[in-house]
Amino acid sequence: MFIHSGSGSTCQENMEEPVPFVAAPENLETAGRNEGSDKDDLISLIQTAKRLSTADSLEAFLDFVLQHDVNNESWAFELFTNAFMLFAHALTLQNEKLKMKAYQALDLTKVLHGHELCVLLGETLMRDFTEGPSTALRLAALHATLTLIQTEECQRDVLLKALKDPEPTIRLRALEGLVLLLDASREGVTEGKGNRPKEVYEASLKRLM
């Protein structure tokens, strides 16, 4: 089960405009590559980033992911699982620009959403969500937690924590997420798997009052 967010504009300190979970990359050129070269280019970038392990090599890899949607390619899953630790490494660096690119790239890498590897990111995501220096980064970490880690328990716990956040934008996103979680869980509730999602949603509403 995945939670999807709406779109928005960039974060402003006065919060007059809504903030997206993950801001869309701006002014990225779509190079005139043919489909056959994408695989070779991606392999080369992965190998280089693994060998050098520098911010520049990681950014080159992330930029490629942002510019090229290869999710439907037969080789995409194999290459992205092979490159998973590159995403993880970028998220551990004290570089907000690179972190945001990593979150943007993971959001676009649909073949990894819900994969068991993503559980390894749990601690990093929670740290960015609770301690991130900007609202945009914290929203990106919240969104990544909900889309990458496909467990109801994880989603519920993160959303309930987000509802207590002092930032109104994050509380709003959490409430939206709970509504979607409730909708997605209704079929399971009907089949007798319990009414916990409904209880969580109602309890969350009370906390906002």
Side-chain angles (χ1 to χ4, degrees):
M1 172 179 61
F2 304 126
I3 301 290
H4 299 285
S5 67
S7 60
S9 56
T10 57
C11 175
Q12 301 294 330
E13 291 184 358
N14 59 15
M15 301 309 302
E16 292 180 352
E17 298 180 358
V19 181
F21 279 131
V22 182
E26 297 180 357
N27 300 322
L28 289 177
E29 296 180 359
T30 53
R33 309 172 190 265
N34 58 57
E35 293 183 2
S37 70
D38 283 348
K39 180 179 180 180
D40 293 336
D41 290 346
L42 183 55
I43 290 174
S44 177
L45 288 167
I46 291 172
Q47 292 174 340
T48 299
K50 285 185 173 183
R51 184 177 71 256
L52 300 179
S53 193
T54 62
D56 286 344
S57 62
L58 286 171
E59 186 168 20
F61 161 69
L62 295 172
D63 282 343
F64 179 92
V65 177
L66 291 171
Q67 295 177 35
H68 300 80
D69 181 2
V70 297
N71 283 285
N72 293 326
E73 300 291 347
S74 60
W75 41 263
F77 179 77
E78 180 181 0
L79 290 190
F80 281 131
T81 52
N82 180 267
F84 178 79
M85 293 310 296
L86 296 180
F87 292 109
H89 184 194
L91 290 177
T92 63
L93 299 178
Q94 298 302 310
N95 182 326
E96 185 168 349
K97 175 185 175 184
L98 199 60
K99 278 177 175 283
M100 287 301 298
K101 280 196 174 185
Y103 280 125
Q104 292 163 3
L106 280 167
D107 192 50
L108 294 176
T109 309
K110 307 298 184 184
V111 294
L112 289 181
H113 292 189
H115 192 277
E116 59 187 7
L117 280 172
C118 294
V119 175
L120 300 175
L121 297 176
E123 184 176 346
T124 299
L125 299 179
M126 184 57 69
R127 183 172 61 248
D128 279 349
F129 168 59
T130 57
E131 303 175 11
S134 70
T135 301
L137 181 62
R138 294 174 62 223
L139 280 171
L142 172 61
H143 178 63
T145 303
L146 297 174
T147 55
L148 297 176
I149 303 178
Q150 188 183 356
T151 65
E152 179 186 308
E153 183 177 0
C154 174
Q155 293 175 337
R156 179 201 63 196
D157 291 346
V158 171
L159 288 169
L160 288 178
K161 183 181 290 291
L163 282 171
K164 301 176 183 178
D165 196 276
E167 172 54 56
T169 306
I170 291 180
R171 295 201 303 271
L172 176 60
R173 290 294 191 268
L175 182 57
E176 292 171 346
L178 281 167
V179 172
L180 292 173
L181 177 60
L182 176 64
D183 289 343
S185 300
R186 280 174 177 166
E187 182 177 351
V189 172
T190 302
E191 294 174 355
K193 297 181 181 179
N195 63 348
R196 188 170 56 179
K198 183 175 185 294
E199 293 172 350
V200 170
Y201 178 63
E202 292 176 346
S204 301
L205 284 178
K206 291 178 182 179
R207 293 182 186 188
L208 287 179
M209 296 177 178

